[in-house]
Amino acid sequence: MQSRTEQLNQLFDEWENTIPEYKGKFVKDGILNEQLYETVSPKILFITKEPNNPEQKSGDFRTWWKDRIVDSFTYRLAEWSYGLLNNFPEYDEIWKEIQRSHNAIQQVAFMNIKKIGGGANAEYTNMMEHVKMNFDFLNRQIEIISPDIIILGTTWDELRNELFPNIKNNWVKSGYDVDIIKHNNIKMIDFYHPSARTAPAASYSLLQNIILSDKFK
């Protein structure tokens, strides 16, 4: 039986070979460390828009993030991962030992909607084209990852709804000005993008409040 990572790699090969625009530029993502991912509960998947990779070089987030946390984007994901998997200790406690947060991000999954690089700011029309083009592949990737919780950082409701069209009218308010939903036994949070200009401790605390809220439970 194939591992999840083997299934994802096979999917990525098919994906890159199907879409001419992606050939030679494909940026892989998915489960960062399958051995660790299988040991944790809940299983977390972060979904964002596109790699910040203007030169459109091919690559793999699973390799890039293997040994270190590289930028503020990754720092936010590491903090949120640590909170989600460790009952949200005080924010200041996380960085007393930086290795804790690096270990946490290794225990989750991460994927972009667009599989080739863009600039620092994703362009709306371009992203809508890619979510439509990638729809079947994206849903196959989510199915392989099989998360318990999905944290969306897709920014626009239209992008979210294009990815999950069957539930676009079913989202509800969490009580914290953030939409939530449960679909096919997966709880989903339409959260901030990790690079959003929000104080790190504030976004961490907001995510904590949503996760612990009665509506989310």
Side-chain angles (χ1 to χ4, degrees):
M1 182 178 179
Q2 286 185 312
S3 69
R4 296 182 201 257
T5 299
E6 289 170 335
Q7 293 177 63
L8 288 171
N9 287 338
Q10 185 174 318
L11 176 67
F12 295 149
D13 287 342
E14 179 186 350
W15 202 333
E16 181 175 359
N17 289 324
T18 300
I19 300 176
E21 185 179 353
Y22 286 178
K23 192 66 177 176
K25 305 175 184 177
F26 197 96
V27 179
K28 299 176 182 179
D29 44 38
I31 298 169
L32 299 175
N33 183 318
E34 185 171 354
Q35 184 176 1
L36 294 176
Y37 181 78
E38 296 292 2
T39 67
V40 299
S41 181
K43 290 180 168 43
I44 310 296
L45 168 62
F46 293 96
I47 300 179
T48 58
K49 291 177 286 192
E50 64 179 4
N52 183 3
N53 179 12
E55 296 180 356
Q56 294 194 334
K57 294 180 179 179
S58 62
D60 192 331
F61 281 97
R62 299 170 298 183
T63 301
W64 293 338
W65 293 353
K66 183 176 180 180
D67 298 318
R68 62 193 179 101
I69 298 173
V70 295
D71 52 26
S72 60
F73 177 91
T74 324
Y75 271 82
R76 296 295 82 72
L77 289 178
E79 292 165 355
W80 298 348
S81 299
Y82 191 85
L84 286 158
L85 296 172
N86 294 279
N87 296 315
F88 287 95
E90 291 183 355
Y91 178 82
D92 289 347
E93 291 295 314
I94 297 175
W95 295 112
K96 287 185 177 179
E97 183 186 346
I98 193 169
Q99 190 62 32
R100 294 178 185 175
S101 292
H102 179 255
N103 287 343
I105 203 171
Q106 292 297 306
Q107 297 172 47
V108 304
F110 164 79
M111 59 184 277
N112 279 305
I113 289 171
K114 182 181 172 185
K115 299 301 187 186
I116 57 173
N121 297 308
E123 202 272 325
Y124 176 85
T125 301
N126 184 257
M127 284 306 308
M128 293 300 292
E129 290 173 354
H130 280 265
V131 72
K132 293 173 183 177
M133 180 170 60
N134 291 336
F135 179 82
D136 290 335
F137 286 115
L138 290 167
N139 280 278
R140 286 168 61 187
Q141 184 175 8
I142 294 169
E143 184 177 356
I144 293 169
I145 294 170
S146 189
D148 300 310
I149 296 175
I150 294 177
I151 311 293
L152 294 172
T154 49
T155 306
W156 305 298
D157 289 352
E158 295 87 349
L159 189 60
R160 174 195 78 185
N161 293 338
E162 195 68 44
L163 181 58
F164 301 107
N166 294 335
I167 58 172
K168 64 182 180 180
N169 297 319
N170 299 336
W171 291 83
V172 298
K173 293 295 182 184
S174 62
Y176 294 92
D177 197 31
V178 170
D179 290 345
I180 58 175
I181 198 170
K182 185 175 182 180
H183 176 61
N184 290 340
N185 293 318
I186 301 174
K187 294 181 178 180
M188 302 169 63
I189 302 174
D190 190 10
F191 202 55
Y192 295 118
H193 188 275
S195 297
R197 294 177 181 176
T198 305
S203 63
Y204 178 88
S205 297
L206 176 59
L207 185 58
Q208 177 184 19
N209 286 335
I210 295 167
I211 291 290
L212 298 179
S213 69
D214 289 338
K215 289 182 180 179
F216 185 78
K217 291 179 181 179

